[in-house]
Amino acid sequence: MRLLRISVTDRCNLRCIYCMPDEGVDWMAPRGDLLSPADFEAVVAAAVRIGIRHVKLTGGEPTIRPDIVEIARRVAGLGIGDLSLTTNGLLLDRLAQPLRLAGVDRLTVSCDSLQADRFEQITHGGDLAQFWRGVEAAQQAGFTRMKLNVVVMRGVNDDEVADFALLTREHPWTIRFIEYMPLGRSVLTGDDPDAAIVNNEEIMARIVDRVGPLTPIERHREAGVGPASVFTFEGARGRVGFISAMSRPFCETCNRLRLTAVGELRSCLFDGGEVNLMPALRPEPDLDHIIRLFGQCVEMRPDVHSNRGNRAMSQIGG
Ligand code: SAM
Ligand code: SF4
């Protein structure tokens, strides 16, 4: 295992159509029952002992936790090599700098449309200008080589993929196109949950049409240990990446564990087993016990994931 993804909350200030149902999801627990900064610190300390060197903070929306800077600071102090955070960016205008100072190495931001009205529809009320203010603040704070995630959905934003790719002419970012995954219940998982999936081959062809041939980048030259295949093209300062969880599951090379905000360690993003870490965390954290539970969780991993998840993405953290 190399990467631990930690969902610090299942709550969010947006309601993206591919992630949540209109009415939102039932919260996993009252706010006060979510793991505390001290709990996260104990889990990461145990993870470091078994060789995990990459930690990702995610959600829900991690930046809506009032103690997110403290969480980042505690986790960053434990000797991991790479601490990143995935966010919808809306609160970065005031949080980018404190997160950087707390020890966050890298940011991934999510944005599914470059058109303000469409962005608002997809997110149910998000303000695209506020997103870009967050990105600007992140750059000022020193997060220059950001990743930007785009979930591609047929009939919703698939006509924008080349526009997104073209952002890399100006910016040294990695734009990552993610195949929509029908997980849990969301606005998009209607009668035919697969209808909105656009496979990456099709997305790539549309991009090549506009920008010319794509040249693969060797994996070790891309920061982090993500599952994307990454490319560049002539005239680009940045890169484009493709995450093909649906058309080409990468389960064999999966190197991650996921922790939910209520302390469940999940073996798979889709439908795997999960182990409750709470008994090893409270009343006092027991690192040896946590390490044993990590081992149990890895044993539960399916060989290849099912195509449906039993939880919403906002509850697992992507
Ligand atoms: N709220 C933060 C954000 O949106 O970046 C972090 C959590 S979000 C669950 C993590 C990533 O999962 C985001 O990039 C989001 O676009 C992606 N995601 C959510 N639901 C998805 C789905 N059904 N299929 C594919 N990607 C999804
Ligand atoms: Fe919130 Fe991120 Fe899910 Fe959108 S994708 S609803 S921002 S958790």
Side-chain angles (χ1 to χ4, degrees):
M1 287 304 114
R2 291 181 58 199
L3 170 73
L4 176 65
R5 290 185 71 104
I6 299 178
S7 169
V8 296
T9 177
D10 58 332
R11 291 159 168 78
C12 188
N13 48 357
L14 292 179
R15 295 279 176 277
C16 300
I17 55 170
Y18 51 82
C19 182
M20 289 202 191
D22 261 343
E23 66 281 10
V25 288
D26 294 334
W27 303 132
M28 296 171 90
R31 200 181 295 270
D33 291 353
L34 300 183
L35 294 192
S36 67
D39 295 324
F40 292 124
E41 188 175 354
V43 177
V44 175
V48 168
R49 282 216 208 151
I50 60 165
I52 287 180
R53 291 289 175 269
H54 298 262
V55 172
K56 155 91 67 191
L57 302 176
T58 175
E61 177 48 44
T63 61
I64 65 169
R65 261 192 84 137
D67 52 4
I68 186 62
V69 175
E70 185 192 347
I71 294 171
R73 190 168 39 74
R74 285 190 181 227
V75 169
L78 295 170
I80 47 173
D82 175 56
L83 176 62
S84 62
L85 180 136
T86 301
T87 171
N88 61 33
L90 295 189
L91 297 178
L92 281 181
D93 56 341
R94 56 188 167 81
L95 278 173
Q97 179 82 12
L99 286 170
R100 185 76 181 174
L101 293 175
V104 175
D105 298 299
R106 296 181 300 112
L107 285 182
T108 296
V109 291
S110 303
C111 175
D112 309 299
S113 178
L114 300 172
Q115 303 169 17
D117 50 345
R118 197 181 264 185
F119 182 88
E120 193 181 331
Q121 281 161 13
I122 294 173
T123 56
H124 280 175
D127 176 2
L128 186 59
Q130 179 64 17
F131 168 79
W132 287 119
R133 280 193 286 277
V135 169
E136 183 54 40
Q139 296 191 117
Q140 302 268 333
F143 295 107
T144 42
R145 303 194 75 87
M146 273 179 286
K147 293 182 183 170
L148 190 155
N149 284 351
V150 186
V151 177
V152 183
M153 296 157 278
R154 191 173 302 285
V156 177
N157 65 350
D158 52 338
D159 55 339
E160 289 190 59
V161 292
D163 297 337
F164 271 107
L166 285 169
L167 290 176
T168 64
R169 282 211 176 128
E170 203 183 319
H171 303 285
W173 303 334
T174 300
I175 311 283
R176 304 192 312 169
F177 298 96
I178 304 181
E179 285 176 353
Y180 160 64
M181 299 173 240
L183 281 175
R185 224 161 22 95
S186 74
V187 174
L188 274 194
T189 48
D191 296 340
D192 179 3
D194 294 345
I197 300 174
V198 187
N199 72 41
N200 272 332
E201 222 171 297
E202 184 177 336
I203 299 170
M204 228 184 228
R206 289 191 189 196
I207 293 173
V208 169
D209 236 22
R210 280 271 289 285
V211 309
L214 299 178
T215 313
I217 299 277
E218 290 166 47
R219 278 184 77 79
H220 68 268
R221 296 184 53 204
E222 180 70 7
V225 284
S229 314
V230 182
F231 300 80
T232 187
F233 57 87
E234 197 168 330
R237 293 178 64 203
R239 298 162 178 188
V240 288
F242 300 88
I243 300 183
S244 315
M246 298 308 291
S247 62
R248 259 194 272 157
F250 32 81
C251 306
E252 256 171 51
T253 57
C254 178
N255 54 10
R256 55 194 54 199
L257 285 172
R258 298 176 155 84
L259 179 69
T260 69
V262 294
E264 296 154 340
L265 199 61
R266 285 183 67 94
S267 59
C268 176
L269 171 60
F270 288 78
D271 223 346
E274 54 195 33
V275 175
N276 182 10
L277 292 192
M278 252 344 170
L281 287 172
R282 298 185 187 175
E284 286 300 319
D286 175 346
L287 297 203
D288 291 329
H289 192 181
I290 299 172
I291 289 170
R292 282 197 300 279
L293 295 176
F294 271 128
Q296 274 179 27
C297 186
V298 171
E299 292 291 306
M300 290 177 172
R301 166 164 301 156
D303 290 338
V304 179
H305 70 67
S306 67
N307 266 2
R308 300 275 179 269
N310 54 355
R311 280 283 175 79
M313 196 70 116
S314 58
Q315 296 176 319
I316 313 168

